[in-house]
Amino acid sequence: MDGGILERDLELERLAAAVRDATGGAGSVALVLGEAGIGKSSLVRALPGILPPGARLLVGQCDDLATGRPLGPLRDLVGSVGAELARALRDAGDRHRVHEALHAELAGAPHPAVLVVEDVHWADEASLDALRYLVRRVHGWPAVLVLTYRDDQLGRGHPLRQLLGVVSGAPRVHRLPLAPLSPEAVRALSAAADLDPAQVYTVTSGNPFFVAEVITAGDTGEVPPTVVDAVLARLRGLTDTTRDALEQLAVVPSAVERPLVDALLGDADDALTAAEQGGLLVVAVDRVAFRHEIIRRAVVDSLPTARRITLDRAVLSALTAAPDADRSRIVHHAAAAGDAQAVTRYGPGAAR
């Protein structure tokens, strides 16, 4: 049942049950949600193994484009759907025609259809409009509409919020939040690699993408280039202020207590909020931490040496100004900043 992935049996069984119900005309909407790299696409790839004979699987993908491709995920279906829907999608100028063709395609089929739209947090306005149409009607069709999205990147005004509000009123909705892998699963995946599974879990927090990349690289001390690229892609859409804040916090190899955050960043609530909504930080009343240690390391590894030195000097200055700062932390940042005088001054106390 696991489709080649670990710890997703429950989600696959719920989707299989939804398809069985749809065979009798009780269609539904399934929401597959979680952070980047949590395994949403892997779950979709496992779907063929749970579908009954005759069921159709249709998959469309939303893209992170500066200019959205109108009806992009539905256009991906051309070649897998009937001629009328294909023609409507190619023209794409008449949304009413597209909606009617979707109705005919999904409601009139003799076997259940599973329509998956991946990454709907990137969906264009026309696609969201079509999905609202489907959500309101799929409950009476032999179909299951599966929507995957990153729930940690939805700000208050995100366009997807309206669609999720419509979904909340649908007669049958399956919410499938994907959890990180357990330490046991990480241990199983690490068995063939010469790595400490506990260390793999520590740096990845069980995120399947990070786990796989670290195991492939064979080193928990170095961040794989693929992870650095993925993290930098997530930073791309942030403001300069937010990126500066993330870089400043990243040079601190631990959770950063709130007084130190305030000393380093000043009034940075907007930057922290944006980073939290981007799935990069976990913000608490008393401290701020990166969601995954490997994200922090990726940000640090992307920094030019001169920039890292400047950031470590800022931390050193904030720590030495605090009355009860941990001397070992002071020495760490003094060494990273190349401040030999500070190392000499605080080193003996840190050693004690």
Side-chain angles (χ1 to χ4, degrees), residues 64-340:
D64 183 15
L65 302 175
T67 302
R69 185 169 60 116
L71 295 173
L74 299 178
R75 287 172 183 260
D76 288 346
L77 307 182
V78 173
S80 302
V81 295
E84 179 58 32
L85 178 55
R87 281 193 295 269
L89 290 169
R90 287 194 185 98
D91 296 341
D94 186 345
R95 293 190 189 181
H96 180 67
R97 181 186 173 196
V98 170
H99 297 173
E100 288 191 334
L102 283 168
H103 185 293
E105 182 76 27
L106 299 176
H111 300 289
V114 179
L115 172 56
V116 180
V117 181
E118 292 202 70
D119 294 327
V120 290
H121 52 278
W122 288 329
D124 64 283
E125 190 271 336
S127 296
L128 291 173
D129 198 29
L131 291 175
R132 283 191 289 270
Y133 175 88
L134 294 176
V135 166
R136 291 190 178 101
R137 293 163 177 81
V138 72
H139 64 274
W141 301 347
V144 178
L145 176 61
V146 180
L147 307 177
T148 79
Y149 64 96
R150 298 179 185 176
D151 63 324
D152 61 344
Q153 297 187 20
L154 302 184
R156 193 182 313 167
H158 196 287
L160 182 55
R161 289 290 186 191
Q162 184 180 1
L163 174 61
L164 295 177
V166 176
V167 171
S168 68
R172 283 177 291 276
V173 180
H174 311 280
R175 288 182 57 86
L176 305 175
L178 300 185
L181 298 176
S182 68
E184 292 72 25
V186 172
R187 186 177 301 112
L189 291 171
S190 306
D194 187 21
L195 294 173
D196 179 359
Q199 185 63 22
V200 174
Y201 185 80
T202 295
V203 299
T204 64
S205 303
N207 179 287
F209 170 71
F210 293 150
V211 170
E213 294 303 313
V214 167
I215 291 174
T216 299
D219 187 354
T220 57
E222 297 292 330
V223 181
T226 49
V227 173
V228 175
D229 291 342
V231 171
L232 293 183
R234 293 171 69 177
L235 266 60
R236 184 189 62 194
L238 301 175
T239 65
D240 290 343
T241 300
T242 302
R243 285 195 296 269
D244 288 346
L246 284 168
E247 290 175 358
Q248 180 64 81
L249 296 176
V251 299
V252 182
S254 61
V256 187
E257 60 274 18
R258 196 63 197 229
L260 182 56
V261 172
D262 295 339
L264 292 172
L265 305 181
D267 184 10
D269 286 347
D270 289 345
L272 294 178
T273 298
E276 184 180 24
Q277 290 177 340
L280 298 165
L281 293 180
V282 176
V283 179
V285 173
D286 58 341
R287 57 197 232 155
V288 175
F290 278 82
R291 186 159 188 164
H292 302 291
E293 168 64 10
I294 201 168
I295 291 179
R296 185 195 68 80
R297 293 187 185 181
V299 173
V300 171
D301 286 356
S302 72
L303 297 175
T305 301
R307 172 70 170 153
R308 289 177 64 173
I309 291 173
T310 298
L311 296 172
D312 274 302
R313 284 177 177 169
V315 180
L316 175 61
S317 177
L319 289 175
T320 53
D324 299 317
D326 186 329
R327 294 190 178 189
S328 63
R329 296 177 75 186
I330 292 176
V331 171
H332 169 85
H333 291 285
D339 191 332

